[in-house]
Amino acid sequence: MKFSVYQVSRQGGRPLNEDRLGYTYTRGAVLLVLADGMGGHPEGEKAAEIAVQAFTRAFRAQAQPTLADPRAFLEATVLAASQAIADYARAAAMPDNPRTTAVAAVLQDGQLTALHSGDSRLYWVRQGRLLARTRDHTYHDKPELFRNLPPGLNRSVLFTCLGSDSPPLYDVLGPQALHDGDRLLLCSDGLWSVVADPDVAAGLHGLPLKDAVSQLADEALRKGGRHGDNVSLLALEWEADEAFAATEVIHPDALGAEDAVSSDAEALAPGAAHATDATAGPDDAFDDEAIERTIAEINDAIRRTALRKSL
């Protein structure tokens, strides 16, 4: 299994960057995850941190070296992550829950399975052609769900997210087969709100992954201007060609604190420095007991899903 990953998160004109992103892998599977904490609610950055941690830590616990069922894993984990955010708010006696969008992808056995809730997106590009992108949970992107919209409604408003007291709505893409050279991009709305879909697809093609992603981030910041949103991008190129170096790791310190690139999943042990969840540190929202409890909940949900499928 061979791939290249590059990530960047840059602050726009906002006082705080509430985006969080990360990736991790084993010999047989890769996880990408990005969350965008929602403004208008307290501690959006904490909600995004909890979501990314829930995905990366559950993956590391369960991918041995592959997941039994990537779709079941993603579905169970998004529910557990949302509940963990609500539990955090309850424990802190917060008057309102932190909330976040999330998009996550698992690459395993040459196939892509992805899940999203909210308006953080995944783009799947092959030779500059957009194969698929996730559809936002907004009145604009999913009008077929609503027969009669009230007049004056802001159609870009989200109707679901992680962290509310009710379970989040989500959509699943795949599993679908990947081709050599396919590129995936997970991004916050700081990119797609100012860069059109065809331009995102074109921007991912024709340059090394690092350069392509950096240029997209630069374009989004330029178009967003001084009041623009934060821009976070997490991209992967699958099965790069033979000219691609088998072992190449550039640590974040060499690129700046917000950028990282790596290649070849078998070159380093899982959990290495570049296989980052981008949120660990002394302010970690989970203690060991909470982590174990969340993982147990995810495993229980996966078992229930498997049982339903067998009936």
Side-chain angles (χ1 to χ4, degrees), residues 2-4 107 110-112 123-129 131 176-185 204-205 209 235-241:
K2 189 174 178 183
F3 61 90
S4 174
L107 290 77
Q111 294 186 313
L112 164 68
Y123 289 83
W124 180 7
V125 175
R126 179 174 298 159
Q127 296 298 316
R129 181 171 63 91
L131 292 184
Q176 295 188 29
L178 293 160
H179 289 191
D180 290 3
D182 281 1
R183 289 183 171 183
L184 306 175
L185 178 69
L204 282 174
H205 181 61
L209 187 67
L236 179 144
E237 181 175 352
W238 181 250
E239 292 286 345
D241 62 33

Side-chain angles (χ1 to χ4, degrees), residues 224-285:
R226 62 177 182 168
H227 300 299
D229 204 348
N230 307 307
V231 178
S232 295
L233 311 177
L234 175 56
L236 179 144
E237 181 175 352
W238 181 250
E239 292 286 345
D241 62 33
E242 291 304 317
F244 180 69
T247 304
E248 176 187 345
V249 176
I250 303 175
H251 292 287
D253 289 346
L255 292 166
E258 296 176 320
D259 298 353
V261 64
S262 71
S263 67
D264 195 350
E266 298 186 8
L268 294 175
H274 69 284
T276 175
D277 64 17
T279 60
D283 295 327
D284 192 349

